[in-house]
């Protein structure tokens, strides 16, 4: 994080300002990615005027960074009307798109409107792998054509790669492709459960062996010994710190106006069709509950050796049943990184061992009779 952004974040936190918001314009999409956590039907998206009104409220609330995402944002015919309005309100706008629908005219308008960055998902450098994930033949070629053209227009492009069992061997190829194209790239090993709580998609997550390989790749993590080291025990400052930025300086708004602490934290806190955005941000009981939590309030995690440097997501923990509890996926990442089981993993092992003993009791009783 740059010095200026860090300073803005600290001031936003002190003043209770939602510095950064992700607004999904639609859940409709022209791809059908096998790992996607969204329902792609339209259940009554906000109209153009409703979104403009929301943007006015966000500007008044102090929002600075606005990420427009979906679904696929370009399936909305009013996308550029919304983007232009957002830039008139001087938001720093970032886009998330598969870029399939971006042609020369669209790229020129994006450039002229001063968009900060465009994030495009690329799952593999091999068409047969990428297209099998998006379920759209030719999608890799079309996305790469768009990346090349956007780059030629002087736009900042970021390739985002989600790691899963289908593409586990291809992340180095995607990174090399990004270098060849002259764009940035990111890698995320987390599969997100469906917004409705369905966790079946987690079957696509990579195993410990693959995570260990990723976390020991110097091209990704730099100094492996330093990255994989177990942190020192948490001190009082660490225990009093915030679990993450959700509800503190960031939040998420769905295409239907529902406000959540984060896109990975499906706890409804209000709806902008019924309430002012700022009232939800400041006064929602759910938002304030999330806001009240400190590291020391977490169950299990405070006793864990990883508590100081865990990537624990409270939204993923919430989808497991307890926003103050551990996130199993993040426990697995910490274990793959350091080789040291988390407190949550050890607790589950003890519970499993106790269950085996309990189940064995009737057989032991019969044998001794």
């Amino acid at each position: 994080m740059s010095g200026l952004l860090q300073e803005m974040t600290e001031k936003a936190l002190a003043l209770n300002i939602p510095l950064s918001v992700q607004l999904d314009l639609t859940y409709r999409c022209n791809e059908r990615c096998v790992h996607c956590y969204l329902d792609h039907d339209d259940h009554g998206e906000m109209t153009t005027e409703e979104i403009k009104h929301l943007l006015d409220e966000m500007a008044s609330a102090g929002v600075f960074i606005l990420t427009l995402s979906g679904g696929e944002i370009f399936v909305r015919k009013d996308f550029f009307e919304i983007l232009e309005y957002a830039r008139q309100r001087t938001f720093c706008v970032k886009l998330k798109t598969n870029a399939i629908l971006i042609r020369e005219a669209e790229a020129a308008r994006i450039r002229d409107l001063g968009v900060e960055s465009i994030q495009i998902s690329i799952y593999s450098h091999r068409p047969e792998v990428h297209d099998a994930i998006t379920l759209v033949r030719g999608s890799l070629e079309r996305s790469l054509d768009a990346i090349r053209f956007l780059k030629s227009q002087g736009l900042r492009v970021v390739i985002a790669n989600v790691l899963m069992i289908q593409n586990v061997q291809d992340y180095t190829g995607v990174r090399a492709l990004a270098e060849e194209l002259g764009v940035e790239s990111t890698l995320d090993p987390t599969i997100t459960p469906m917004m409705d709580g369905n966790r079946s998609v987690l079957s696509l997550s990579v195993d410990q062996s693959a995570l260990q390989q990723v976390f020991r790749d110097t091209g990704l993590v730099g100094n492996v010994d330093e990255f994989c080291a177990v942190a020192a025990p948490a001190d009082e400052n660490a225990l009093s710190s915030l679990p993450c930025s959700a509800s503190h300086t960031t939040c998420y708004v769905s295409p239907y106006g529902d406000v959540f602490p984060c896109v990975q934290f499906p706890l409804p806190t209000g709806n902008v069709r019924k309430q002012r955005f700022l009232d939800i941000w400041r006064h929602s009981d759910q938002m304030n509950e999330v806001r009240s939590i400190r590291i020391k309030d977490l169950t299990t995690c405070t006793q864990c050796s990883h508590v100081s440097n865990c990537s624990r997501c409270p939204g993923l923990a919430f989808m497991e049943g307890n926003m103050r509890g551990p996130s199993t996926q993040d426990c697995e990442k910490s274990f793959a990184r350091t080789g040291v089981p988390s407190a949550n993993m050890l607790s589950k092992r003890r519970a499993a061992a106790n269950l085996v003993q309990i189940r064995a009791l009737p057989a032991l009783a019969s044998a001794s009779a």
Side-chain angles (χ1 to χ4, degrees):
M1 185 183 294
S2 69
L4 177 58
L5 185 55
Q6 179 66 37
E7 183 180 346
M8 291 175 65
T9 301
E10 291 172 358
K11 287 185 176 179
L13 185 61
L15 298 172
N16 194 20
I17 292 173
L19 181 67
S20 177
V21 174
Q22 176 169 321
L23 169 60
D24 278 4
L25 300 178
T26 181
Y27 286 160
R28 291 174 289 143
C29 193
N30 50 4
E31 294 182 332
R32 286 293 182 270
C33 297
V34 295
H35 65 291
C36 186
Y37 54 88
L38 298 176
D39 166 8
H40 294 305
D41 294 326
D42 180 358
H43 299 286
E45 297 168 1
M46 286 187 286
T47 65
T48 310
E49 291 309 312
E50 284 178 316
I51 291 175
K52 287 182 176 180
H53 179 70
L54 173 59
L55 294 177
D56 288 338
E57 291 191 349
M58 286 181 175
S60 298
V63 175
F64 174 61
I65 300 171
L66 176 67
T67 300
L68 298 179
S69 184
E72 173 48 51
I73 52 181
F74 284 93
V75 304
R76 279 197 68 131
K77 298 185 184 303
D78 59 354
F79 169 73
F80 278 108
E81 184 177 352
I82 292 168
L83 176 58
E84 184 173 351
Y85 197 83
R87 289 296 294 132
Q88 288 172 357
R89 296 297 174 273
T90 68
F91 292 111
C92 172
V93 176
K94 301 181 179 184
L95 306 180
K96 292 183 179 181
T97 173
N98 59 38
I100 285 179
L101 298 176
I102 295 178
R103 299 292 185 269
E104 185 172 348
E106 289 80 16
R109 289 198 71 183
I110 292 171
R111 178 199 60 211
D112 294 344
L113 287 169
V115 166
E116 195 275 339
S117 64
I118 306 108
Q119 178 180 298
I120 300 173
S121 293
I122 299 293
Y123 303 112
S124 172
H125 59 297
R126 296 183 292 160
E128 65 272 20
V129 176
H130 177 93
D131 294 358
I133 291 173
T134 65
L135 301 183
V136 176
R137 180 178 292 183
S139 57
L140 176 61
E141 181 180 358
R142 290 158 69 182
S143 291
L144 292 180
D145 285 345
I147 290 173
R148 293 185 182 96
F149 189 76
L150 289 166
K151 184 71 169 55
S152 74
Q153 299 299 296
L155 292 163
R156 180 186 171 211
V157 178
V158 180
I159 285 178
N161 183 13
V162 177
L163 195 67
M164 62 193 97
I165 56 176
Q166 290 91 332
N167 65 349
V168 66
Q169 300 300 326
D170 290 0
Y171 73 90
T172 54
V174 173
R175 194 162 81 245
L177 179 62
E179 292 175 0
E180 176 188 327
L181 295 169
V183 301
E184 303 168 51
S185 64
T186 64
L187 178 66
D188 186 356
T190 303
I191 300 292
T192 301
M194 298 288 289
M195 290 285 282
D196 63 6
N198 186 323
R199 301 176 64 79
S200 60
V201 71
L202 297 184
S203 64
L204 301 177
S205 300
V206 298
D207 60 19
Q208 279 288 315
S209 172
L211 281 176
Q212 290 169 3
Q213 177 182 332
V214 168
F215 292 153
R216 284 154 183 77
D217 186 330
T218 56
L220 288 173
V221 305
N223 186 316
V224 173
D225 291 337
E226 183 178 299
F227 181 79
C228 293
V230 179
D235 57 20
E236 188 57 37
N237 287 336
L239 291 174
S240 298
S241 63
L242 306 177
C244 76
S245 61
S247 84
H248 294 283
T249 56
T250 67
C251 69
Y252 163 67
V253 184
S254 81
Y256 313 120
D258 296 309
V259 181
F260 302 93
C262 170
V263 69
Q264 288 193 159
F265 201 153
L267 171 69
T269 67
N271 188 288
V272 297
R273 284 171 157 165
K274 302 174 182 177
Q275 304 155 271
R276 290 197 315 150
F277 172 78
L278 189 56
D279 287 341
I280 297 171
W281 175 260
R282 287 181 176 172
H283 306 303
S284 161
D285 290 341
Q286 296 84 356
M287 196 74 80
N288 282 322
E289 180 184 5
V290 176
R291 199 171 283 145
S292 71
I293 300 172
R294 298 295 182 270
I295 296 294
K296 62 185 177 183
D297 301 319
L298 304 178
T299 59
T300 307
C301 298
T302 53
Q303 307 303 316
C304 184
S305 59
H306 300 297
V307 66
S308 296
N309 63 351
C310 179
S311 59
R312 175 190 174 275
C313 170
L316 293 177
F318 172 76
M319 284 191 267
E320 285 191 44
N322 183 4
M323 71 173 77
R324 292 174 174 79
S327 158
T328 298
Q329 287 173 272
D330 291 301
C331 292
E332 290 171 350
K333 283 188 281 186
S334 291
F335 180 51
R337 181 172 55 82
T338 65
V340 177
S342 70
N344 178 42
M345 296 174 75
L346 292 173
S347 176
K348 287 183 175 181
R349 288 178 185 178
R350 286 193 295 269
N354 290 337
L355 182 59
V356 169
Q357 291 177 349
I358 291 170
R359 287 175 174 172
L361 287 177
L364 291 172
S366 298
S368 62

